[in-house]
Structures are given as structure tokens and as C-alpha cells.
Amino acid sequence: SLDSDDNFVGQGEDVPTSNRTATDGVNNDESSISPFQRVRILTYRTFLITSALLLTVMAVFGSNFLSGTGIDEAAIANWADGLLPFAAGLSLLLAPMPSEGLGRAARVVTTSLGAAAVFSTASASTGVGIAQSADSFGDLQHILFVASLMAISMREIYYFGIAYKVEAVVAMLTLPLLLVDVGAYAGNIYPVAVPLCALAVDVLAVGKVFEPCREDYVKSNSEFFVAGEK
């Protein structure tokens, strides 16, 4: 949710819609966005896919599925866990957000959240500041990547409509379960929650591949998809 690109997108994040017609609903002409905007969206989607892959790695290597093979599953799962705040945070920073009304407040929140997630990974990798302290920092990183992916899911629902982003709803419902690490049910919930989250975010990320880049700048409730079916 970088603010600096308002100069590239007219009013807020919206791409000009003067080319829309009553029959098509949404203009799918990719030439209506600038190269900068296209690169931004492709990078946003790349880091969302990266987040999905890291969650999948956590699901596979954190479930004892490969126990007995000699593979250090815990080390691989922890590696993916440590990179997730960076990937999810950077994806959130790059995701276009509305700039009018409550959208301005959303921009401030998502920018702060994404930056904090990215910084937490940099801090952990360099041993700077609070990263030198202990498990509480790891808990903070969990909260940051979960919150970042939830914010992305809400953003996708807002822009494309809940009917076309059911996987984002599933992600929003299951991601908080990754924070359940205390209590009698923690050992039973986490092994189920990670695969569910991974599946939901995988579907969300892969689905972005088939969406025109300009649609990430226009709240269209997936009209481009409906128009394509006609």
C-alpha cells in the first residue's frame, strides 16, 4: 500500500475508467496502466505466491509427514516460518489500497503493518535490536505475517467481491488459528490450521495469475470475469 504512486494513478489508486462501456462493464485493455503500475502488481503477486509457497512448506515439513526420511523437517519449517513475515509484509506494502474515505486510514494501517513485518525479518536476520531477545519476538513475527495475510485477504474481497474470493474468506477464518499456541487444544489445532491456511492462500495466489493487472487498481467486483463469460 505504497502512497508514493498516487502520481501514477490519478485520484488515489483508481485507474481512469473513461474507456469502460455499458456492455463490457470493465475495460480489460492492459495498455491503460503504466509500466510502473504493471511492475508493481506483478511484484505484489509474486510475493503473495511466495507467501503461499512458504506456508505450503510449513504445512508439509511441520507435520511429520516425512519423518524417518532423514530430512530435518523442523529446520526447513523454521526457515519458511522466518521468511514469511518478509514475503507477506512486502506483498501487503505493494498491494494497492483505496485512497478516499476510510481507505486513507486503511492505507496507514496496512503500510505500517507491512513495514513492521518486513523490518522484523531484517532485524531477525541481522541480530539487531529486539531480534536478540527471545521467543516473544518470534511470536511478534507470527502475529505480523498472519495480520499481513489477513489484510491482503480483506483487500482482495473488497476489490473483487466475496463471491469470487471465497478462498480469501477461508484464509481469514483459518489464519488466526496459527496463533493458537497455548492451551490444551494447541497441539491439535496447529497441524490442521497450517494446511488449511496454505491451501486457501495457494488458491488466492494462483487465482491472481489469471486477473488482468489493471483490475488490482479498480474495485470492480470481478466484473471483468463476468464480462468474459458472456
Side-chain angles (χ1 to χ4, degrees), residues 60-81:
V60 173
F61 291 95
S63 62
N64 297 321
F65 180 74
L66 299 175
S67 60
T69 61
I71 297 175
D72 192 346
E73 296 177 278
I76 296 175
N78 289 335
W79 169 80
D81 191 28

Side-chain angles (χ1 to χ4, degrees), residues 21-28 159-165 210-212 215 219-230:
T21 64
T23 55
D24 294 335
V26 172
N27 171 35
N28 288 326
Y159 271 83
F160 294 93
I162 193 170
Y164 292 96
K165 293 292 178 178
F210 302 100
E211 295 168 358
E215 294 304 314
K219 183 180 182 296
S220 64
N221 291 322
S222 298
E223 292 172 14
F224 74 96
F225 182 76
V226 176
E229 289 184 330
K230 293 180 180 180

Side-chain angles (χ1 to χ4, degrees), residues 135 139 176-191:
D135 296 336
D139 293 340
L177 298 178
L178 299 183
L179 303 177
V180 180
D181 58 356
V182 293
Y185 298 101
N188 295 325
I189 292 177
Y190 194 83

